C-alpha cells in the first residue's frame, strides 16, 4: 500500500471543499457547480491514477469505476454549468449512490488483505447517505444544499484521511516484515 498518501490527498481536498462551501454559503449555484466539478474531476483523476498504478489492489475494477465516474461527472459539471439545480442535484445524488456502493464493495474485498477496513466502509456509507438525502429532499433550498454538501465533504474527507493512515500502518508493517525476512 505504497500509495496510501493518495487517499490522504483526496481526503484533504474533500475537507477543503467542504470548508469552502460552509464559509461562503451565499455562493451562486454556478460557483458551487464549478467547485464541485473541479473536486469530482480531481478525485476521479487521483482514483484513476491509483487504479492504474496499484496493480495489487483488490477489486481494481471498482476503484477504476469510481475514478471514471468522478472524472465524467466533474467534466459534465464544468462544461455544462447552466444545468438546473435539480439536474445537478440528481447528478450528484447518482454519483454519490454509485460511488458509495462501489466503495463498500471495495472495502469488503479489502478484508482479504487488511483489518479495520471499516474506515473505507464508512466513507461509502456516508456517500450513499448523501445520495439518499439529495434524492428524498430535492426541493431543499440552495443554502441547505451547500451546507449538506459541505458537511458531507468534511466528514467524508476526515474518514478518508483516517483510512489512509490505516493503509500507511499496513504499508509500514509490511515493510518492517520484509526487512526482517
Amino acid at each position: 500500500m505504497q500509495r496510501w498518501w493518495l487517499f490522504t490527498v483526496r481526503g484533504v481536498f474533500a475537507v477543503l471543499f467542504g470548508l469552502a462551501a460552509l464559509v461562503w454559503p451565499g455562493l451562486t449555484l454556478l460557483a458551487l457547480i464549478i467547485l464541485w466539478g473541479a473536486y469530482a474531476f480531481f478525485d476521479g483523476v487521483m482514483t484513476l491514477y491509483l487504479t492504474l498504478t496499484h496493480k495489487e489492489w483488490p477489486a481494481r475494477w471498482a476503484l477504476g469505476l469510481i475514478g471514471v465516474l468522478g472524472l465524467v461527472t466533474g467534466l459534465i459539471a464544468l462544461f455544462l454549468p447552466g444545468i438546473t439545480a435539480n439536474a445537478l442535484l440528481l447528478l450528484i445524488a447518482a454519483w454519490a449512490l454509485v460511488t458509495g456502493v462501489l466503495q463498500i464493495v471495495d472495502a469488503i474485498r479489502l478484508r482479504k488483505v487488511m483489518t479495520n477496513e471499516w474506515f473505507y466502509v464508512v466513507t461509502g456509507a456516508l456517500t450513499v447517505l448523501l445520495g439518499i438525502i439529495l434524492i428524498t429532499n430535492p426541493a431543499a433550498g440552495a443554502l441547505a444544499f451547500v451546507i449538506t454538501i459541505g458537511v458531507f465533504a468534511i466528514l467524508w474527507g476526515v474518514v478518508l484521511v483516517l483510512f489512509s493512515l490505516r493503509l500507511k500502518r499496513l504499508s509500514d508493517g509490511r515493510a518492517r516484515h520484509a526487512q526482517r525476512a
Side-chain angles (χ1 to χ4, degrees):
M1 305 298 168
Q2 298 169 346
R3 291 173 193 81
W4 61 268
W5 60 271
L6 287 170
F7 285 94
T8 303
V9 171
R10 290 175 63 203
V12 167
F13 270 89
V15 169
L16 291 174
F17 169 74
L19 288 174
L22 292 177
V23 169
W24 297 295
L27 287 176
T28 65
L29 186 55
L30 177 62
L32 181 59
I33 292 168
I34 291 168
L35 277 173
W36 185 83
Y39 162 72
F41 178 81
F42 180 80
D43 187 67
V45 168
M46 287 289 101
T47 306
L48 283 174
Y49 178 75
L50 266 170
T51 303
L52 296 173
T53 61
H54 214 356
K55 304 268 188 243
E56 68 275 5
W57 190 267
R60 279 180 58 215
W61 66 269
L63 201 58
L65 196 51
I66 291 168
V68 168
L69 191 59
L71 193 69
V72 169
T73 56
L75 288 172
I76 289 170
L78 289 171
F79 288 107
L80 299 172
I83 61 176
T84 66
N86 283 340
L88 175 64
L89 184 73
L90 293 175
L91 178 68
I92 294 171
W95 167 83
L97 289 171
V98 173
T99 297
V101 168
L102 290 173
Q103 285 174 324
I104 292 168
V105 167
D106 198 25
I108 291 168
R109 295 280 192 129
L110 280 173
R111 285 183 170 177
K112 295 177 183 173
V113 295
M114 68 185 286
T115 59
N116 293 328
E117 73 290 340
W118 64 270
F119 284 118
Y120 205 34
V121 171
V122 170
T123 66
L126 286 171
T127 308
V128 169
L129 179 63
L130 173 68
I132 291 168
I133 289 169
L134 294 177
I135 287 174
T136 59
N137 195 6
L143 185 58
F145 179 70
V146 171
I147 291 169
T148 301
I149 295 294
V151 169
F152 163 78
I154 291 168
L155 290 173
W156 189 76
V158 167
V159 172
L160 202 54
V161 168
L162 292 173
F163 175 70
S164 75
L165 296 175
R166 175 67 182 119
L167 285 176
K168 183 182 184 312
R169 274 190 257 132
L170 179 66
S171 178
D172 291 347
R174 285 187 177 176
R176 281 192 299 273
H177 181 70
Q179 289 174 349
R180 284 186 230 145

